[in-house]
Amino acid sequence: MNSTPTTRRLVLTRSAAVIGAASTGLLLPELAKAQSGKLRVGLMLPYTGTFAQLGVAIENGVRLAINEQGGKLGGREIEYFKVDDESEPAKGIENANKLVQRDKVDVLIGTVHSGVQMGIHKVARDSGVLSLIPNAGVHMATRAQCAPNVFRTSFSNSQPTRALGAAMVAKGHKRAVWITWKYAAGDEAFEGFKEGYLAAGGTIIKELGLPFPNVEFQALLTEIAALKPDAVACFFAGGASAKFMIDYAAAGLKDKIPLYGSGFLTEGMLDAAGPAAEGVMTTLHYGDSIETPRNKAFRLAYAKTFKMQPDVYAVQGYDTGLLLVHGANAVKGDLNNKAVLYKAMETVTIDSPRGKWTMSKSHNPIQDIYLRVVQNKENKVIGVAAKALADSGAGCKMG
Ligand code: PHB
């Protein structure tokens, strides 16, 4: 039977709408759901292994920020989806796809480990999902492989160590040994350390390394003792960093050869490390003792909510939550409105417990780096090692 003109018009109008929706990858009921249903937030973080505590701190920070802003994103309720990435690079892509393909998250927050981030980054670039990096500093994510849908709220791996060398030379420590885990985070932290230390007049007499997440430090500590440098600089993080400081002291090195580090060394592990951490000097974009009302209010709220003290990872999670709230509000919860969403996130100033920071063109924080010393189980800020430091963003072409 022939359609009446009215029905035909209806069919045509509907098909046009369906074609329009199909070009965005969504059919009509899904389109409606995407804009009015719960916003799906994926958390891909380490909940087991040497970085487990870091994953928990980041999740706590994200939730605190969102809850403080009313618990919604652009007016929409939230549903969280979680995957434990185990800091296992080999499973990075598969785990990211659990959130993107299976759970259909609107935003993927993760992760800590630079090697795992490479897997997330591939999935983010292929799918176009909004990807917020709350820790992993791997350079390529905001350098040669930067992408419009990828934003980092933490640091690039060479940022915290760039100002460390000058602080060491200022103390008269001109011959140093560098030690780290041999993977992207350690190698790129070395890039920053090397540039800063050489420019300040220091000499690196040896680079030492062991595979992630090994903690068999003994042979390397024996080698350090034999080399007799003026100082040691390192990158370690998570549970292993407490063990490194304890082993360093137990080997009799603590009072002879001052230990310096990228500030992650002393984050979240001061109880575990005890006296072995006292006096260790580091550089980082946060310090417990930052004397601002913003930091004090954050620390109080975090301690009250989670019955533990916050650290840099909690701050990075918190700032990730703040960025997401800001972006989602700008598009009233419609994260498919990408041009407006990205613009809002690119031009934001985050009023962070670490101090205010802005987003670089390659989507990495431009931020102050503090010089800190461990005193009475606190990362005490004793100076600003670098003001408004930006990563080079080398090779980044958006679009
Ligand atoms: C990293 O793998 O990028 C990483 C991990 C832990 C840190 C910092 C960087 O504390």
Side-chain angles (χ1 to χ4, degrees), residues 51 54 112-114 135-138 155 157 183 185 235 237 264 313:
F51 289 160
L54 285 54
V112 170
H113 185 287
S114 275
N135 185 75
V138 62
F155 55 90
N157 279 328
Y183 79 109
F235 166 84
F264 303 110
Y313 307 105

Side-chain angles (χ1 to χ4, degrees), residues 163-175 193 196-203 230-231 258 260 281 283 371 382 384-385:
L164 181 60
M168 291 169 66
V169 171
K171 292 267 177 196
H173 301 137
K174 291 193 169 164
R175 291 172 66 256
F193 172 66
Y197 196 54
L198 298 191
T203 306
D230 295 347
Y260 291 83
M281 282 176 86
T283 43
L371 181 63
I382 52 173
V384 176

